[in-house]
Amino acid sequence: MSDAAQPTAAEVRAAAEAVKAALDRHLAAVERRTGDDDTAVYEAFNALAAAAEAYDELLYDRYDEVTPFEIPGADGALPPYAGPDEPHALSLLIRRDYAVAEPQRLLAQARRVAEIDGEAEGPAARAGVSPLAALGVLFGEFEPDEIASRHKEFGLEEGDSTLWVTAAEELPEPGEWLNAPFEHADPERIICRFDVSSVFDEDEDDDHEEEGGAGGSDS
């Protein structure tokens, strides 16, 4: 980079001050959080990440130095929000993955539900012998949130899950999107998203192992 294109020392200092302010806002949001899915905390986190990334780039361009911050990369990041400032409607897009970890438990629970409901015909009659019928019975009987909270009882193992909150000007017409419920999800209208994955835990474990390895090599 040429000297003419380099940021000024004042610009780097201003970026550093922005990081400090973002840190304060993030801490304040965390202290006031109302639950695990607090939108204010999520927004403050993104603002802090953006401020840290800007400072990191300016610091490198000006002084050829880097920070110890781990800045989230662009891969998988949401595009800038381009939806309405005052949404009059919203949609929740939810995906939860499960593995059938204990088929016999799944069959037993479905058979019990079918017996309680007195279902002796159709798919329910095969709930105790057919995993496909068992899943139909259980997901027909219980709400998705109850399945999520009791998945082990049903012989299921959780995989990844995600929740997208998207903004809209108004509710779609009844039945408008039922044939393809996720086809027209607009990333630029996502207000916030919440992801759960074991890969996040694995990343933390890898970081701890690297720290342990570094300590061992220094000794």
Side-chain angles (χ1 to χ4, degrees), residues 75-142:
D75 293 342
L78 293 176
Y81 178 73
D85 291 334
E86 298 183 7
H88 296 290
L90 57 89
S91 296
L92 304 184
L93 308 182
I94 302 174
R95 172 173 173 167
R96 295 180 178 132
D97 288 354
Y98 298 96
V100 180
E102 299 180 70
Q104 294 306 314
R105 182 183 291 271
L106 171 70
L107 296 173
Q109 290 283 16
R111 183 171 57 248
R112 181 181 63 82
V113 170
E115 290 173 352
I116 291 174
D117 291 343
E119 296 285 351
E121 299 179 354
R126 303 184 63 244
V129 295
S130 166
L132 191 61
L135 289 170
V137 167
L138 290 176
F139 279 87
E141 178 72 15
F142 301 102

Side-chain angles (χ1 to χ4, degrees), residues 1-33:
M1 177 181 291
S2 66
D3 291 343
Q6 286 183 348
T8 65
E11 288 173 329
V12 179
R13 173 62 61 180
E17 293 300 325
V19 173
K20 297 175 187 177
L23 277 168
D24 288 338
R25 287 195 297 271
H26 182 258
L27 177 58
V30 170
E31 291 173 336
R32 296 193 301 267
R33 74 185 310 157

